[in-house]
Amino acid sequence: MLQVNKIYSQLISMEISKQEASSLLLGEIFKSPRYYCMEQLEEDEISNFLLWIYDQIPRIIDNYKNKDSSFLTYYTSSIRYRYKSWKRLNIKKQVFQHILDNQHYLEYNEKPGGFLVADQDTTYSASSTRNLRLREPLTTKQAETILVLALKTFKTLSGKVTEMIPHLTGISTHEFNHYINLIEIKMTKRLQKFEKIEKRTNASYVLCQQYTYELSTLDTASSQYDVVLQKYHAQQNTLNRLRDTLREFNLQPTNKMIEEVLCLPDGSVRRILSNADKKIKQILQLIDPLKN
């Protein structure tokens, strides 16, 4: 653990850059997750957290002001605090959070179309909707909005949200799963491309960690250190490019795909998305805070 203080000292003495220090500090979490209270996490979850925390480490370094305590103490508490925040963020992935995350679709505006979800009234209960209670059933337009947004964001829907949507929209679970399957078929090539880039990113990340660990065991004056350092820099550049590609990758089906799956007229999805903000506010008004 004292390696953390050494890394910070090397940064202060300008032996390493802030980017190098950030990578080395990330490697310390990777090597000792138990020290940062992550001993119960699976390896994949630890990797997800590391990908999330990576961009925050430079800011953590900059915020270190209290010289009365060691950088190790400060860094440890900072990571543990952010780990708790990360867990809370994951827990909050509920259906309306997903809907709100998609309000940028308000930029779309085209001629109205029409789509009725289900004519019959929907029965809501705590067991069927995982404790989601509504003061009254949704209108067909409100349910329509949820269904379209769900298909738009099908790759980010959690299992809990997937179970809620049929009950909210008044369609059967089988019918909703059928819609998702049809979207996945239409998105096959794009999803395969994304998974390929994702695998390359994960492999690049692992290599960076291996080089980081190897550098920490080598004499900085040795020729081998320079060789590994060059490999590390090259791999770090590759990793950054791959991460940028993943961030910009569009994993959402087109409006046309959704219209084909739901048998909607051209322009219907854009019309629905352009009114999404108003419908979301109406839906949120119907949530019973005493039952959630």
Side-chain angles (χ1 to χ4, degrees), residues 60-171:
I60 293 174
I61 295 173
D62 291 339
N63 289 339
Y64 177 51
K65 306 296 182 186
N66 185 9
K67 306 303 180 180
D68 294 332
S69 64
S70 69
F71 181 75
L72 171 61
T73 302
Y74 162 75
Y75 181 68
T76 301
S77 62
S78 296
I79 296 302
R80 288 176 178 175
Y81 175 80
R82 283 167 172 79
Y83 170 60
K84 291 179 180 178
S85 297
W86 178 74
K87 287 201 299 184
R88 286 196 295 268
L89 286 172
N90 285 343
I91 292 171
K92 288 180 179 178
K93 288 182 179 178
Q94 302 292 331
V95 61
F96 293 110
Q97 184 62 51
H98 285 291
I99 294 173
L100 290 172
D101 285 342
N102 288 279
Q103 292 197 38
H104 60 279
Y105 292 119
L106 298 176
E107 63 190 76
Y108 293 106
N109 188 13
E110 203 168 292
K111 60 182 180 181
F115 171 49
L116 298 180
V117 182
D119 294 329
Q120 70 272 22
D121 290 336
T122 306
T123 301
Y124 298 88
S125 68
S127 59
S128 65
T129 60
R130 296 291 189 91
N131 298 323
L132 179 66
R133 293 272 190 159
L134 299 173
R135 294 190 177 94
E136 59 185 69
L138 302 184
T139 67
T140 54
K141 294 299 183 183
Q142 291 166 344
E144 164 187 277
T145 300
I146 289 182
L147 183 58
V148 169
L149 286 174
L151 295 182
K152 261 290 184 185
T153 60
F154 77 103
K155 285 299 292 181
T156 62
L157 295 180
S158 67
K160 182 181 292 186
V161 172
T162 302
E163 291 178 12
M164 286 180 179
I165 289 172
H167 298 290
L168 290 172
T169 57
I171 63 176

Side-chain angles (χ1 to χ4, degrees), residues 15 32 54 59 64 66 72 127 133 135 137 141 149 159 171 183 189 219-220 235 254 291:
E15 296 176 45
S32 306
Y54 178 76
R59 187 162 64 252
Y64 177 51
N66 185 9
L72 171 61
S127 59
R133 293 272 190 159
R135 294 190 177 94
K141 294 299 183 183
L149 286 174
I171 63 176
I183 287 291
K189 289 184 179 180
D219 183 352
T220 56
Q235 197 59 235
T254 65
K291 300 296 184 180

